[in-house]
């Protein structure tokens, strides 16, 4: 199983410093919807404090939580891949402080600094691989519970 990585800790110091010049701090009160599935993905965040729930809409009134994120976690990766739409929704589970990055600006910087771009894509890929494994594990647990504990 892959281990969870923290984006800012995974980047080499000089690349982290360069990326942080593009950040600005934001605050989301508890229960704030940060983004909705299907919306335009034009930014991403690194959580400084607090907790965020990723959710998926089942129908007009029901949502299920698919993951929880906390300090140091990357929030949002859809800005990196066409069609640049959020795959999930996100809501502040508690008050959240985060570094926010404008995707277009980060992408322009990464095109000019290809070493930073490659490092950033590798880090996001590691985050995605870990979250995919976690989701697979949750699905297997749900399946086992419905089948009476037998896989």
């Amino acid at each position: 199983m892959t281990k969870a990585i923290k984006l800012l800790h995974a980047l080499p110091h000089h690349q982290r410093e360069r990326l942080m010049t593009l950040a600005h701090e934001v605050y989301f009160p508890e229960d704030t919807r940060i983004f909705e599935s299907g919306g335009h993905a034009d930014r991403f965040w690194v959580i400084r404090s607090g907790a965020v729930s990723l959710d998926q809409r089942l129908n007009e009134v029901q949502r299920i939580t698919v993951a929880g994120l906390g300090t140091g976690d990357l929030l949002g990766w859809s800005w990196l891949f066409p069609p640049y739409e959020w795959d999930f929704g996100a809501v502040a589970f508690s008050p959240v402080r985060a570094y926010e990055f404008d995707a277009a600006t980060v992408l322009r910087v990464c095109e000019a600094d290809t070493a930073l771009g490659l490092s950033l894509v590798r880090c996001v890929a590691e985050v995605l691989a870990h979250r995919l494994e976690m989701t697979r594990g949750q699905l297997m647990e749900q399946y086992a519970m419905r089948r009476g504990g037998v896989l």
Side-chain angles (χ1 to χ4, degrees):
M1 176 175 274
T2 61
K3 73 175 196 175
I5 69 159
K6 306 296 184 185
L7 178 71
L8 295 179
H9 295 270
L11 290 172
H13 177 75
H14 68 283
Q15 291 178 345
R16 178 175 54 249
E17 292 295 317
R18 177 66 181 114
L19 184 64
M20 289 306 295
T21 66
L22 307 175
H24 70 275
E25 294 184 30
V26 295
Y27 171 77
F28 300 105
E30 184 175 353
D31 296 326
T32 299
R33 178 141 303 270
I34 301 169
F35 56 83
E36 183 63 74
S37 176
H40 181 62
D42 61 355
R43 62 197 66 240
F44 65 97
W45 301 263
V46 174
I47 300 170
R48 292 185 54 221
S49 65
V52 173
S53 295
L54 295 179
D55 59 27
Q56 184 66 55
R57 185 186 300 263
L58 295 176
N59 55 44
E60 289 300 315
V61 293
Q62 288 184 301
R63 296 177 186 270
I64 58 167
T65 298
V66 295
L69 305 177
T71 302
D73 285 333
L74 172 67
L75 172 59
W77 51 266
S78 298
W79 60 275
L80 194 53
F81 306 102
Y84 310 107
E85 293 178 354
W86 300 117
D87 286 315
F88 301 102
V91 65
F93 187 72
S94 68
V96 171
R97 294 194 182 282
Y99 295 116
E100 183 176 87
F101 298 86
D102 175 75
T105 302
V106 171
L107 289 170
R108 276 194 301 277
V109 168
C110 288
E111 286 177 10
D113 182 348
T114 56
L116 172 60
L118 180 58
S119 292
L120 187 59
V121 168
R122 283 181 173 162
C123 288
V124 172
E126 283 188 57
V127 168
L128 290 174
H130 176 72
R131 290 188 188 164
L132 179 60
E133 285 184 12
M134 297 300 294
T135 301
R136 183 180 64 197
Q138 290 174 336
L139 289 172
M140 291 175 70
E141 285 178 23
Q142 290 293 320
Y143 179 76
M145 287 181 359
R146 289 188 179 152
R147 303 275 295 168
V150 178
L151 284 178

